[in-house]
Amino acid sequence: MQGDERTQSVNEAGPEANNRSARAHGWRRNKRWLVLVAVVVAAVAVSLWLSRGSSTQEGRPVPAPAGQAVPSPSTGSGGTQPREGEITITISPDKLESAQIKTETVPTSSTTSGPAAGYRTTGTVQSNSYKDVPVLPVTGGIVREVNAQLGDRVKRGQPLAVIFSSELANAEGEYLKMLAELDEHHKHHLRALELLEIGAISREDLEQAVSKYTSAQANVVAARQRLVSLGMTVREVEALKSPEQVRSLISITAPSSGTVVSRTVNSGEVIAGGKELFRIADLGSLWVIGQVYESGLANIRVGTASSITTVAYPDRTFEGRVSYIDPRLDPQTRTVQVRVELKNPGELLKIGMSVDVSFGKAGMAGSAIMIPKSALQMIGDKQVVFVATDRAGVFVQREVRAGAETNGFVPVYSGISGGERVVTDGSFLLRAETLRIK
């Protein structure tokens, strides 16, 4: 009877157990499908990743490369040499390989498809007349020494020449004479005061003594200033007390700092007062005089930006501004002289040099070389590119003047030359390295 109860209990629980078994079987089957789908998805992802990484392998179609990969440090690259003062960036071999830096060669031909120039003309470099000082002796004499040569840089007060002058000796003698007279009149004035107190002289006699003493003081002051004007210092004049101290040598000193651009005197020469012996110019600031036709005057005014270029430095542009426009028109050439004032770093520009002058917004004049936009970087307010040198892994930062982007390219008006290789891919990395160096 107990067996019948167990049988009945099993029969009653059978449907519920069968349902649980079916559900467990279905869950295991779904789990296998989920695992299978996950495996397939992972396989597809791995396949796509591998196909992307191997897209440059032989036998697979690849697009033409946008640039030239930088060679490894063991090979030369035929680049350029760093210029003086340029920032140099060196990339280590392992970092160079992972950075995948690419370069493109700058085309040798230029284009004029950039913004138009305002006005262009030719000009001549001149010294800044406001900083151009002649050296003139105040008296004549015989030149004993010449201590400055053409091209020498001198400082204000530096001796340039020594002159033997009889006029200086006479002026010193006159000064000593005035000193003696002053001493005599001073003593006479003191005696007159004593005599007046005891009634030995009149008030009129005292006034005459005071007048002579005052006149002697004025004569000494005038003689002293004469000696100073002849080149003696105040201390030297004060030390002059006896005829044994009289000297006749005048030291001609530089009136300002700059470069000696003219010398017209030699030792032993007899010169007159006022003759120009030297000329000193500040070559760090120059003038460029350009000839502008009537048709170009409308857009040129004082303060207009100007760009100066010359065949002597084809890769350099000198910036300046118009400082003067001649109010007179030359009736023969129908031109007006326009003066551009500019800095001359390194004194590269020479007086008399012929240059090209472009008036208008800096960087917008003349022909341009087109480079990829990715090669141009901004550091502060400067536009720069990075140029590969002839040493692999070594690049230089080059400041340029570029225009607006057109179809992924920008026109560059100065700073680089045709045949140089600018970095396109990886230029941002070099910019970061430059900022880190600074």
Side-chain angles (χ1 to χ4, degrees):
M1 186 171 180
Q2 293 178 351
D4 293 339
E5 292 177 355
R6 286 193 299 271
T7 302
Q8 184 179 357
S9 176
V10 170
N11 291 335
E12 291 175 354
E16 183 179 354
N18 290 336
N19 289 336
R20 287 197 302 268
S21 176
R23 285 197 299 270
H25 178 71
W27 183 85
R28 286 192 297 271
R29 182 174 58 187
N30 291 338
K31 183 178 181 181
R32 286 196 297 270
W33 276 108
L34 290 174
V35 172
L36 180 60
V37 170
V39 171
V40 171
V41 171
V44 171
V46 171
S47 176
L48 291 176
W49 183 79
L50 291 175
S51 64
R52 183 185 303 176
S54 59
S55 60
T56 57
Q57 294 179 358
E58 184 177 358
R60 300 182 66 88
V62 295
Q68 176 183 356
V70 175
S72 62
S74 61
T75 61
S77 56
T80 60
Q81 290 284 350
R83 300 171 183 171
E84 183 179 357
E86 287 185 332
I87 298 176
T88 303
I89 306 99
T90 302
I91 305 298
S92 60
D94 53 342
K95 197 171 184 179
L96 181 66
E97 184 176 355
S98 61
Q100 296 184 349
I101 294 177
K102 292 185 179 181
T103 62
E104 280 197 20
T105 303
V106 177
T108 56
S109 60
S110 59
T111 178
T112 56
S113 59
Y119 186 84
R120 301 188 66 185
T121 186
T122 57
T124 304
V125 177
Q126 296 183 8
S127 62
N128 187 334
S129 296
Y130 296 159
K131 299 182 179 180
D132 193 347
V133 184
V135 180
L136 310 172
V138 295
T139 183
I142 302 174
V143 179
R144 295 301 190 194
E145 296 179 12
V146 178
N147 303 318
Q149 310 298 327
L150 281 175
D152 286 354
R153 295 184 179 181
V154 297
K155 295 182 178 180
R156 181 178 181 179
Q158 179 177 333
L160 303 181
V162 176
I163 298 176
F164 173 85
S165 172
S166 59
E167 185 176 351
L168 175 61
N170 294 335
E172 289 176 309
E174 186 70 16
Y175 173 72
L176 291 175
K177 177 182 176 182
M178 295 303 170
L179 279 181
E181 291 182 356
L182 175 63
D183 185 62
E184 179 183 351
H185 287 297
H186 177 60
K187 293 177 180 178
H188 182 68
H189 175 249
L190 294 177
R191 285 196 302 271
L193 289 174
E194 294 175 353
L195 292 175
L196 181 64
E197 290 180 357
I198 62 175
I201 62 172
S202 66
R203 174 68 62 176
E204 183 180 357
D205 293 333
L206 176 62
E207 291 176 352
Q208 290 179 355
V210 171
S211 176
K212 292 179 180 179
Y213 177 55
T214 304
S215 178
Q217 287 179 317
N219 291 336
V220 169
V221 171
R224 181 185 293 114
Q225 292 303 318
R226 174 59 179 163
L227 292 178
V228 172
S229 68
L230 290 174
M232 292 184 66
T233 65
V234 174
R235 180 176 298 181
E236 290 174 339
V237 174
E238 294 293 340
L240 183 60
K241 300 297 182 181
S242 65
E244 289 76 13
Q245 295 176 289
V246 171
R247 63 186 182 90
S248 54
L249 296 179
I250 298 178
S251 178
I252 307 299
T253 59
S256 64
S257 299
T259 302
V260 178
V261 296
S262 172
R263 169 184 160 177
T264 59
V265 64
N266 292 312
S267 181
E269 185 176 350
V270 179
I271 61 171
K275 170 184 168 60
E276 181 176 316
L277 306 183
F278 305 91
R279 182 167 289 268
I280 300 174
D282 179 5
L283 300 183
S285 173
L286 295 176
W287 287 352
V288 170
I289 307 300
Q291 308 295 329
V292 177
Y293 286 97
E294 295 176 79
S295 59
L297 289 174
N299 297 322
I300 300 176
R301 56 185 55 87
V302 174
T304 298
S306 306
S307 300
I308 312 299
T309 57
T310 174
V311 294
Y313 310 105
D315 298 333
R316 295 290 300 269
T317 300
F318 302 85
E319 304 295 343
R321 290 190 177 275
V322 175
S323 60
Y324 174 76
I325 300 175
D326 196 329
R328 300 163 297 179
L329 179 74
D330 189 324
Q332 302 297 326
T333 62
R334 308 303 300 173
T335 61
V336 170
Q337 287 192 349
V338 175
R339 185 180 72 204
V340 176
E341 188 169 345
L342 71 159
K343 298 295 183 181
N344 185 25
E347 299 185 359
L348 296 179
L349 295 177
K350 310 301 180 184
I351 298 175
M353 183 179 287
S354 296
V355 296
D356 293 323
V357 186
S358 298
F359 298 97
K361 187 177 179 180
M364 297 295 109
S367 59
I369 297 175
M370 305 300 290
I371 65 171
K373 177 65 170 63
S374 59
L376 186 66
Q377 294 290 336
M378 292 296 298
I379 297 181
D381 59 349
K382 296 180 179 180
Q383 296 175 309
V384 301
V385 298
F386 295 95
V387 181
T389 68
D390 58 358
R391 293 180 294 167
V394 179
F395 307 87
V396 292
Q397 175 186 305
R398 184 78 54 76
E399 185 175 351
V400 298
R401 292 186 301 148
E405 176 186 0
T406 304
N407 298 325
F409 288 84
V410 292
V412 175
Y413 299 94
S414 67
I416 54 176
S417 304
E420 292 185 309
R421 294 187 300 114
V422 296
V423 176
T424 53
D425 296 354
S427 61
F428 188 81
L429 170 66
L430 298 179
R431 176 182 179 274
E433 287 291 326
T434 301
L435 296 176
R436 184 181 64 82
I437 293 173
K438 291 182 178 181

